[in-house]
Amino acid sequence: MWVTKLLRLLARVGLGAGLIYAGITHLSFSRLEFQAQVPLWLALDPDFVVIASGVVEILLGLGLLSFGKLVPLAGIAAAVFFVVIFAGNINQYVEGIDAFGLDTDQARLQRLFFQPVLVLWALWSTSAFSVLRAWASRA
């Protein structure tokens, strides 16, 4: 039991730190690469999308690094965020956009399979599945 709790904590801290780092890169040195991933059909300024998603990533990371009842909610929010930004990853694959070292169709395709892992990671590491089950039982 304590091993599972420790693994969840380490996974949550790792994901939280990763989100904060990714958010910082959105706002600084990787900004142009992130802009290239914004789908053309999204009728918003790509720079705005990158800045907004960077801020959201930092806030989600902080939520994952917090304690108490906020943690599962941050996990659910992070999972939803990973689903929403999946459109950018699909766009990168479909349009053949080279960014972040993903310069082949194979590399871009492989990245798509990592997104569900992030969703599950966010939900498992925060024990959000129990919150979702509780919500479902009340519905």
mmCIF file of all heavy atoms in Angstrom, residues 1 7 10-12 18-19 21-22 40 73 81 87 100 116 123 131:
data_model
loop_
_atom_site.group_PDB
_atom_site.id
_atom_site.type_symbol
_atom_site.label_atom_id
_atom_site.label_comp_id
_atom_site.label_asym_id
_atom_site.label_seq_id
_atom_site.Cartn_x
_atom_site.Cartn_y
_atom_site.Cartn_z
ATOM 1 N N MET A 1 0.832 -1.198 0.000
ATOM 2 C CA MET A 1 0.000 0.000 0.000
ATOM 3 C C MET A 1 0.876 1.262 0.000
ATOM 4 O O MET A 1 0.641 2.165 -0.759
ATOM 5 C CB MET A 1 -0.938 -0.039 1.205
ATOM 6 C CG MET A 1 -1.802 1.182 1.326
ATOM 7 S SD MET A 1 -3.253 1.166 0.317
ATOM 8 C CE MET A 1 -4.524 0.971 1.473
ATOM 9 N N LEU A 7 4.704 5.603 -5.266
ATOM 10 C CA LEU A 7 4.773 5.652 -6.726
ATOM 11 C C LEU A 7 3.842 6.723 -7.294
ATOM 12 O O LEU A 7 4.201 7.443 -8.220
ATOM 13 C CB LEU A 7 4.435 4.284 -7.323
ATOM 14 C CG LEU A 7 5.488 3.200 -7.125
ATOM 15 C CD1 LEU A 7 4.969 1.862 -7.654
ATOM 16 C CD2 LEU A 7 6.801 3.578 -7.783
ATOM 17 N N LEU A 10 5.477 10.142 -6.591
ATOM 18 C CA LEU A 10 6.596 10.395 -7.502
ATOM 19 C C LEU A 10 6.099 10.685 -8.918
ATOM 20 O O LEU A 10 6.607 11.586 -9.596
ATOM 21 C CB LEU A 10 7.558 9.211 -7.497
ATOM 22 C CG LEU A 10 8.331 8.980 -6.194
ATOM 23 C CD1 LEU A 10 9.130 7.685 -6.280
ATOM 24 C CD2 LEU A 10 9.215 10.158 -5.863
ATOM 25 N N ALA A 11 5.092 9.928 -9.361
ATOM 26 C CA ALA A 11 4.526 10.150 -10.698
ATOM 27 C C ALA A 11 3.859 11.522 -10.781
ATOM 28 O O ALA A 11 3.996 12.239 -11.775
ATOM 29 C CB ALA A 11 3.528 9.045 -11.036
ATOM 30 N N ARG A 12 3.153 11.902 -9.726
ATOM 31 C CA ARG A 12 2.467 13.198 -9.698
ATOM 32 C C ARG A 12 3.461 14.349 -9.678
ATOM 33 O O ARG A 12 3.310 15.335 -10.416
ATOM 34 C CB ARG A 12 1.552 13.260 -8.472
ATOM 35 C CG ARG A 12 0.766 14.534 -8.344
ATOM 36 C CD ARG A 12 -0.305 14.433 -7.285
ATOM 37 N NE ARG A 12 0.151 14.088 -5.974
ATOM 38 C CZ ARG A 12 0.505 14.960 -5.032
ATOM 39 N NH1 ARG A 12 0.474 16.256 -5.278
ATOM 40 N NH2 ARG A 12 0.894 14.555 -3.842
ATOM 41 N N GLY A 18 7.058 18.444 -14.881
ATOM 42 C CA GLY A 18 7.109 18.446 -16.348
ATOM 43 C C GLY A 18 6.179 19.476 -16.953
ATOM 44 O O GLY A 18 6.534 20.160 -17.922
ATOM 45 N N LEU A 19 4.988 19.611 -16.385
ATOM 46 C CA LEU A 19 4.035 20.605 -16.888
ATOM 47 C C LEU A 19 4.542 22.026 -16.645
ATOM 48 O O LEU A 19 4.400 22.895 -17.510
ATOM 49 C CB LEU A 19 2.664 20.406 -16.243
ATOM 50 C CG LEU A 19 1.806 19.329 -16.870
ATOM 51 C CD1 LEU A 19 0.606 18.993 -15.989
ATOM 52 C CD2 LEU A 19 1.343 19.749 -18.256
ATOM 53 N N TYR A 21 7.658 22.961 -16.401
ATOM 54 C CA TYR A 21 8.751 23.172 -17.350
ATOM 55 C C TYR A 21 8.208 23.422 -18.757
ATOM 56 O O TYR A 21 8.645 24.354 -19.446
ATOM 57 C CB TYR A 21 9.703 21.974 -17.349
ATOM 58 C CG TYR A 21 10.795 22.102 -18.371
ATOM 59 C CD1 TYR A 21 11.875 22.951 -18.156
ATOM 60 C CD2 TYR A 21 10.734 21.403 -19.577
ATOM 61 C CE1 TYR A 21 12.878 23.098 -19.099
ATOM 62 C CE2 TYR A 21 11.736 21.540 -20.531
ATOM 63 C CZ TYR A 21 12.791 22.381 -20.289
ATOM 64 O OH TYR A 21 13.776 22.534 -21.240
ATOM 65 N N ALA A 22 7.240 22.598 -19.184
ATOM 66 C CA ALA A 22 6.658 22.783 -20.517
ATOM 67 C C ALA A 22 5.998 24.154 -20.634
ATOM 68 O O ALA A 22 6.114 24.827 -21.664
ATOM 69 C CB ALA A 22 5.642 21.675 -20.811
ATOM 70 N N LEU A 40 -4.223 25.333 -38.146
ATOM 71 C CA LEU A 40 -4.662 26.499 -38.926
ATOM 72 C C LEU A 40 -6.167 26.727 -38.793
ATOM 73 O O LEU A 40 -6.629 27.864 -38.867
ATOM 74 C CB LEU A 40 -4.269 26.321 -40.394
ATOM 75 C CG LEU A 40 -2.767 26.277 -40.672
ATOM 76 C CD1 LEU A 40 -2.502 25.982 -42.144
ATOM 77 C CD2 LEU A 40 -2.100 27.571 -40.254
ATOM 78 N N LEU A 73 -8.659 17.006 -8.510
ATOM 79 C CA LEU A 73 -9.267 17.955 -9.446
ATOM 80 C C LEU A 73 -8.231 18.443 -10.458
ATOM 81 O O LEU A 73 -8.526 18.581 -11.647
ATOM 82 C CB LEU A 73 -9.897 19.126 -8.701
ATOM 83 C CG LEU A 73 -11.029 18.766 -7.738
ATOM 84 C CD1 LEU A 73 -11.522 20.012 -7.003
ATOM 85 C CD2 LEU A 73 -12.160 18.073 -8.450
ATOM 86 N N PHE A 81 -6.990 18.660 -20.312
ATOM 87 C CA PHE A 81 -6.052 19.487 -21.075
ATOM 88 C C PHE A 81 -5.295 18.641 -22.097
ATOM 89 O O PHE A 81 -5.152 19.030 -23.247
ATOM 90 C CB PHE A 81 -5.082 20.181 -20.116
ATOM 91 C CG PHE A 81 -4.039 21.023 -20.790
ATOM 92 C CD1 PHE A 81 -4.361 22.270 -21.303
ATOM 93 C CD2 PHE A 81 -2.739 20.570 -20.907
ATOM 94 C CE1 PHE A 81 -3.401 23.061 -21.927
ATOM 95 C CE2 PHE A 81 -1.769 21.352 -21.521
ATOM 96 C CZ PHE A 81 -2.103 22.593 -22.040
ATOM 97 N N ALA A 87 -5.260 17.802 -30.423
ATOM 98 C CA ALA A 87 -5.500 18.324 -31.778
ATOM 99 C C ALA A 87 -4.215 18.908 -32.374
ATOM 100 O O ALA A 87 -3.960 18.757 -33.570
ATOM 101 C CB ALA A 87 -6.602 19.378 -31.757
ATOM 102 N N PHE A 100 10.444 20.094 -32.346
ATOM 103 C CA PHE A 100 10.880 19.329 -31.184
ATOM 104 C C PHE A 100 11.594 18.037 -31.564
ATOM 105 O O PHE A 100 11.460 17.020 -30.889
ATOM 106 C CB PHE A 100 9.695 19.025 -30.265
ATOM 107 C CG PHE A 100 8.937 20.245 -29.852
ATOM 108 C CD1 PHE A 100 7.679 20.502 -30.364
ATOM 109 C CD2 PHE A 100 9.502 21.159 -28.987
ATOM 110 C CE1 PHE A 100 6.991 21.635 -30.002
ATOM 111 C CE2 PHE A 100 8.814 22.300 -28.626
ATOM 112 C CZ PHE A 100 7.560 22.535 -29.132
ATOM 113 N N PRO A 116 -2.447 9.354 -24.761
ATOM 114 C CA PRO A 116 -3.286 8.614 -23.805
ATOM 115 C C PRO A 116 -2.534 8.234 -22.526
ATOM 116 O O PRO A 116 -3.128 8.178 -21.445
ATOM 117 C CB PRO A 116 -3.710 7.364 -24.583
ATOM 118 C CG PRO A 116 -3.579 7.742 -26.016
ATOM 119 C CD PRO A 116 -2.435 8.716 -26.078
ATOM 120 N N LEU A 123 -4.561 10.974 -14.292
ATOM 121 C CA LEU A 123 -5.664 10.439 -13.491
ATOM 122 C C LEU A 123 -5.179 9.473 -12.415
ATOM 123 O O LEU A 123 -5.638 9.528 -11.266
ATOM 124 C CB LEU A 123 -6.681 9.754 -14.407
ATOM 125 C CG LEU A 123 -7.397 10.669 -15.404
ATOM 126 C CD1 LEU A 123 -8.244 9.855 -16.365
ATOM 127 C CD2 LEU A 123 -8.227 11.720 -14.686
ATOM 128 N N VAL A 131 -12.478 9.898 -7.581
ATOM 129 C CA VAL A 131 -13.363 11.073 -7.647
ATOM 130 C C VAL A 131 -14.336 10.928 -8.809
ATOM 131 O O VAL A 131 -15.534 11.188 -8.670
ATOM 132 C CB VAL A 131 -12.538 12.372 -7.770
ATOM 133 C CG1 VAL A 131 -13.432 13.569 -8.059
ATOM 134 C CG2 VAL A 131 -11.711 12.601 -6.525
#
